[in-house]
Amino acid sequence: MPKHPPKNHAAPKGPKPKHTSTPTRCPGTKGRPGREAFLPVSRADMEARGWDQCDFVYICGDAYVDHPSFGMAIISRVLEHAGYRVGIICQPDWTDPASIAALGEPRLGFLISAGNMDSMVNHYTVNKKPRHEDAYTPGGRAGARPNRAVTVYGNLIRRTFKDKPIIIGGIEASLRRLAHYDYWQDKLKRSVLLDSGADILLYGMGEHSIVEVADALDGGLPVDQITFVNGSVYRTSGAGALDNVFDYELLPSWDELERDRLTYARSFNIQQQNMDPITGGRLVEPYPNGVYVVQNPPSAPLTEREMDEVAELPYARHWHPDYDAAGGIPAFDEIRFSISSNRGCFGECSFCALAFHQGRMVQVRSRESVMREAEELTHDPEFKGYINDVGGPTANFFKPACKKQLTHGVCKNRRCLWPDVCRNMDTNEDAYADLLRDLRQIPGVKKVFVRSGIRFDYTMADASDKFLVELLQHHVSGQLRLAPEHVSDAVLSVMGKPRREVYDAFVERFERLSAEYGLKQYVVPYLISSHPGSTMKEAVELAEAVRDMGYMPEQVQDFYPTPSTMSTCMFYTGVDPRTMKPVYIPRDPHEKAMQRALIQYRKPENYKLVKEALRKAGREDLIGYGTKCLIRPVPPKPGAGGGKKQVGAGTGKPANGKPKKATSRHEDGKAATQPQNRAERRAAARSGKKGSAMPNGRTGTKQNGRPSPGKPGGRATGKSAAGTNPHARNRAAQGRQGANRH
């Protein structure tokens, strides 16, 4: 970020914070930073710094973790680096006005963020059931933030400090900046700028815009006159409200949006076409009583130098010491030894909000900056030699899609990777492969993982195998998790994901190269059920693919309509906003349950739902004893193992028609004969015999909480393992289905 001259207001006592190339380590217990490494969170902290007043007070729904993976930490450190005094109030009691006054009235204004997640997604499952844990709260305790946190915090401040400027930002505000569909209330809602009582909303990542707003306030400009900042949204009203708004596109009004869902689809399509800082324009959304919400064009992306500087500000890189007694912040454990190397995503999956929040133009850090951070990790007393991830929204997007984007912006009506990889795209992944290799050679680093996911279609377009070989040799631990999401080309087209043949080709390529290097590794897919476009026919097609893969996913992600994604717009309107063509939407909870059950058809508790789904789809041919059948005509007996394969459930019979005695390996490595008939099974149960069928339908003991393959060496047994099916060896993998989508 550009350096700023000292401000005109009275400077705090002590030296101004200075940028350093590596994070500052402050004294603390067991190598942890002390309180002085963090920004003030109490009056005592302010007094220790000689402050009589903060310039900004930051109210956040997350606990205070001073690490560049947390938006609150980035914005507060950027402001500190620009010469401003920032205090932090995390997870205040929203029923008590005194809680947001703990640091007094700030000189310039309040900053508000719900945290790293939308508060409603944080609180509720896709079935709208309350979650019992909050990974961004001390000890994982739920209930520390309100629903719709930005709105609640904003109104609380407005009642207490009536005229003080309020600036809202973060993922919740960014994705609700204009009228949006709210899944939890099942209706359209106004811009959160209006509901929260805030003066300015900053969308996107915010480093440029927050400093520009701060400088304007510091210069004495009234907040209602700060209408010129890119990456901001503001309100205006009254006669002549738009007289000073230039070069804008007028969106449909709130009344029109409420009357007609198709109008909202058209409006949303205009919004997603204006997400680029070069080609994006100014948008105006009218509301009743002469009120207008104005969205300025997106803020300029950070340069490589700015990315480096933001990443290397003097973060404490730990949670605040006040949380030690509660056991810390669970979310920090996931990213503590991970490195963010890029932001932005030109993959533009329909169900993902990243493009709407961070934009399609990828921004990257320099190799030198990433290396410095990795070296710093090796000095942490709790570092064991494993870097958990080096990536971002998509790990192998380590440069902009093409040079044209840098001067002309992204294409408004074309996508980089769908339906095929654009011919203008630079798909060479050598720079990322070289970075991984260099990180691996740092003294003290044992292994570097790539867990933020890769786009396999991008890798397939790379003429060289350099990156893929580097990945499978050194950065995969037995399983490579990918996100094909579905197998039906009809659904994949709606999702904006590559065709199934591309995924199959990648699996074949990965397994062939793994075999060439003597490695037994598997691709584990993430799958989504009930996505727009998925009828029961496509759901059965996905179940058949799972059958052919040879294992049952432990978890399945139901489509979650979160604010401001293309798929959510489809869910609400019933059309694809890009084409305005109708899209089938599975809304009925019972149908969604059937689609989900089909993917996990081997679970006994899913039998009735699966049978009903197959009949509804006209696929009774999959009910029977054949090798391609999913379930038998009769339900499993109570107490049957969830993953136990049935004859005719895709396992096949031995060539001689006689059942073979399966074997498994005990922990001592000796083979154990498996009981095959009812009498043997009963005897085994009475004697406590080891080696009964595992949940994935094979025999074996559990290793690290996952079932091991039934055959020594990791290869699956059974007829379906033969042939040319590129997924054959995937039967050994039991992948935890996650929410990180690429």
Side-chain angles (χ1 to χ4, degrees):
M1 300 298 297
K3 290 179 168 41
H4 290 257
K7 301 294 175 267
N8 295 327
H9 60 78
K13 293 181 180 180
K16 177 180 179 289
K18 293 182 181 291
H19 170 63
T20 56
S21 61
T22 55
T24 301
R25 291 289 175 186
C26 296
T29 60
K30 298 182 179 179
R32 294 185 179 183
R35 293 182 64 92
E36 64 272 24
F38 296 84
L39 297 174
V41 299
S42 67
R43 288 280 191 174
D45 292 333
M46 290 175 59
E47 292 173 0
R49 293 190 176 214
W51 295 5
D52 57 351
Q53 187 181 31
C54 293
D55 293 325
F56 293 97
V57 171
Y58 199 131
I59 311 293
C60 188
D62 285 348
Y64 184 16
V65 180
D66 194 18
H67 187 278
S69 290
F70 291 74
M72 168 181 53
I74 292 177
I75 295 301
S76 57
R77 289 298 184 184
V78 165
L79 283 171
E80 179 192 47
H81 182 57
Y84 294 100
R85 298 174 293 188
V86 183
I88 307 288
I89 299 177
C90 287
Q91 301 183 322
D93 180 357
W94 63 92
T95 65
D96 181 9
S99 65
I100 53 95
L103 298 179
E105 181 177 354
R107 185 176 68 91
L108 297 177
F110 283 94
L111 310 176
I112 299 176
S113 169
N116 271 19
M117 289 179 66
D118 183 283
S119 58
M120 299 302 288
V121 178
N122 182 283
H123 283 173
Y124 298 99
T125 69
V126 66
N127 295 321
K128 302 182 182 179
K129 295 181 179 179
R131 301 187 193 272
H132 302 297
E133 295 180 350
D134 182 345
Y136 294 90
T137 298
R141 178 175 58 88
R145 79 187 82 209
N147 287 345
R148 310 181 196 285
V150 168
T151 299
V152 173
Y153 292 151
N155 284 292
L156 180 64
I157 293 171
R158 185 58 73 207
R159 290 195 301 268
T160 309
F161 300 95
K162 298 186 183 301
D163 300 320
K164 189 58 61 174
I166 298 176
I167 299 100
I168 59 176
I171 190 76
E172 180 167 302
S174 184
L175 300 184
R176 298 170 181 266
R177 58 186 181 263
L178 295 174
H180 57 280
Y181 171 68
D182 185 89
Y183 172 65
W184 302 273
Q185 291 186 349
D186 191 25
K187 68 176 186 180
L188 209 63
K189 289 184 72 69
R190 306 189 308 169
S191 166
V192 71
L193 180 70
L194 302 179
D195 290 341
S196 66
D199 297 289
I200 299 176
L201 183 156
L202 301 183
Y203 69 92
M205 299 305 287
E207 291 96 343
H208 283 150
S209 54
I210 189 61
V211 173
E212 195 169 355
V213 169
D215 287 348
L217 290 171
D218 187 55
L221 196 64
V223 69
D224 61 356
Q225 294 183 27
I226 304 177
T227 61
F228 50 83
V229 176
N230 282 353
S232 71
V233 180
Y234 65 93
R235 62 171 289 171
T236 184
S237 61
L242 299 181
D243 289 350
N244 295 318
V245 182
F246 302 99
D247 301 324
Y248 65 86
E249 181 169 358
L250 192 66
L251 297 173
S253 70
W254 171 254
D255 291 336
E256 293 173 309
L257 296 176
E258 280 200 308
R259 281 196 302 266
D260 184 10
R261 296 190 180 197
L262 296 184
T263 300
Y264 174 71
R266 297 186 187 95
S267 179
F268 184 81
N269 190 48
I270 295 173
Q271 295 174 42
Q272 66 91 23
Q273 289 180 333
N274 285 273
M275 271 306 303
D276 181 72
I278 297 176
T279 62
R282 185 171 289 104
L283 304 177
V284 175
E285 190 170 69
Y287 284 86
N289 303 316
V291 174
Y292 298 91
V293 171
V294 182
Q295 174 183 299
N296 286 319
S299 182
L302 299 188
T303 64
E304 181 180 89
R305 179 178 178 180
E306 289 173 333
M307 284 282 288
D308 290 353
E309 191 164 333
V310 167
E312 298 184 72
L313 290 171
Y315 305 97
R317 294 183 178 266
H318 215 287
W319 63 66
H320 194 274
D322 285 354
Y323 307 141
D324 287 347
I329 312 302
F332 179 66
D333 293 335
E334 299 294 324
I335 54 85
R336 180 176 183 181
F337 299 119
S338 297
I339 300 175
S340 295
S341 58
N342 64 71
R343 67 169 58 160
C345 185
F346 50 74
E348 205 175 1
C349 300
S350 299
F351 48 80
C352 180
L354 274 168
F356 202 75
H357 179 57
Q358 293 189 0
R360 289 170 56 188
M361 192 175 293
V362 171
Q363 303 147 67
V364 299
R365 293 169 61 185
S366 69
R367 171 196 169 279
E368 293 74 19
S369 175
V370 174
M371 293 291 287
R372 285 195 294 269
E373 183 171 344
E375 290 171 0
E376 183 67 21
L377 291 180
T378 65
H379 301 310
D380 190 312
E382 298 183 34
F383 182 68
K384 305 301 182 185
Y386 301 96
I387 296 178
N388 294 328
D389 188 29
V390 179
T394 302
N396 56 330
F397 290 175
F398 200 55
K399 57 186 171 185
C402 65
K403 293 182 179 179
K404 170 181 171 291
Q405 288 185 354
L406 303 178
T407 54
H408 295 82
V410 301
C411 301
K412 279 196 172 186
N413 295 304
R414 298 180 62 185
R415 302 169 75 176
C416 297
L417 294 177
W418 186 87
D420 297 295
V421 176
C422 178
R423 62 184 180 183
N424 295 321
M425 178 171 285
D426 181 1
T427 58
N428 186 293
E429 299 170 290
D430 287 359
Y432 185 54
D434 292 341
L435 173 65
L436 294 176
R437 182 199 60 216
D438 293 345
L439 289 170
R440 204 172 61 245
Q441 296 173 352
I442 294 176
V445 174
K446 298 177 181 177
K447 194 171 183 70
V448 179
F449 293 99
V450 178
R451 287 177 173 161
S452 51
I454 66 169
R455 276 292 293 246
F456 53 87
D457 50 343
Y458 185 68
T459 295
M460 289 296 289
D462 187 350
S464 168
D465 282 336
K466 179 177 178 178
F467 165 69
L468 187 55
V469 169
E470 178 76 20
L471 180 74
L472 65 86
Q473 276 193 297
H474 303 288
H475 306 285
V476 175
S477 185
Q479 299 176 357
L480 175 65
R481 290 181 171 86
L482 292 182
E485 312 296 1
H486 214 279
V487 299
S488 167
D489 286 343
V491 180
L492 292 170
S493 177
V494 175
M495 289 179 165
K497 299 290 288 188
R499 298 182 302 277
R500 181 180 180 179
E501 64 185 41
V502 180
Y503 174 70
D504 288 345
F506 178 87
V507 172
E508 188 280 328
R509 186 175 175 184
F510 178 84
E511 294 189 338
R512 173 177 53 80
L513 289 172
S514 293
E516 288 179 8
Y517 288 93
L519 301 171
K520 296 173 182 177
Q521 299 184 138
Y522 314 95
V523 174
V524 179
Y526 290 139
L527 303 172
I528 293 181
S529 66
S530 306
H531 189 276
S534 177
T535 68
M536 202 60 71
K537 173 181 176 293
E538 284 77 30
V540 172
E541 185 178 346
L542 182 55
E544 291 184 283
V546 170
R547 173 201 63 200
D548 296 339
M549 291 174 189
Y551 75 96
M552 182 180 69
E554 290 177 341
Q555 295 181 359
V556 177
Q557 176 67 48
D558 271 352
F559 168 65
Y560 201 153
T562 56
S564 296
T565 71
M566 190 72 67
S567 297
T568 299
C569 183
M570 296 178 199
F571 181 87
Y572 174 61
T573 64
V575 299
D576 186 330
R578 296 162 295 196
T579 63
M580 296 305 293
K581 293 181 178 179
V583 177
Y584 178 79
I585 308 297
R587 288 193 181 90
D588 179 68
H590 187 65
E591 180 186 356
K592 290 169 67 71
M594 286 192 288
Q595 291 207 21
R596 181 186 179 95
L598 277 166
I599 302 178
Q600 297 178 311
Y601 66 87
R602 293 192 184 106
K603 285 190 172 183
E605 61 267 30
N606 289 341
Y607 179 85
K608 289 184 178 180
L609 285 171
V610 173
K611 192 170 186 177
E612 180 183 355
L614 293 175
R615 286 178 171 171
K616 183 175 180 179
R619 294 301 306 273
E620 288 89 345
D621 58 300
L622 296 177
I623 305 173
Y625 297 94
T627 58
K628 295 295 184 180
C629 292
L630 299 181
I631 58 173
R632 290 179 173 181
V634 294
K637 293 187 176 181
K644 186 177 180 180
K645 285 188 179 179
Q646 308 167 30
V647 176
T651 60
K653 291 184 178 181
N656 59 8
K658 297 179 181 179
K660 293 176 65 176
K661 285 190 175 183
T663 61
S664 71
R665 294 279 164 173
H666 289 169
E667 293 181 1
D668 60 3
K670 296 179 181 179
T673 302
Q674 300 301 305
Q676 293 298 309
N677 56 40
R678 183 177 300 176
E680 289 182 43
R681 288 196 295 270
R682 286 178 176 173
R686 288 194 297 270
S687 64
K689 186 175 182 179
K690 295 181 180 180
S692 58
M694 299 302 294
N696 59 357
R698 296 180 304 280
T699 57
T701 56
K702 285 190 176 181
Q703 299 173 352
N704 299 324
R706 295 186 178 91
S708 65
K711 186 175 180 180
R715 292 187 179 272
T717 59
K719 192 173 183 178
S720 63
T724 59
N725 181 356
H727 306 289
R729 290 195 294 276
N730 284 356
R731 66 184 65 245
Q734 282 282 353
R736 179 181 64 82
Q737 303 304 303
N740 192 9
R741 302 297 179 182
H742 308 283

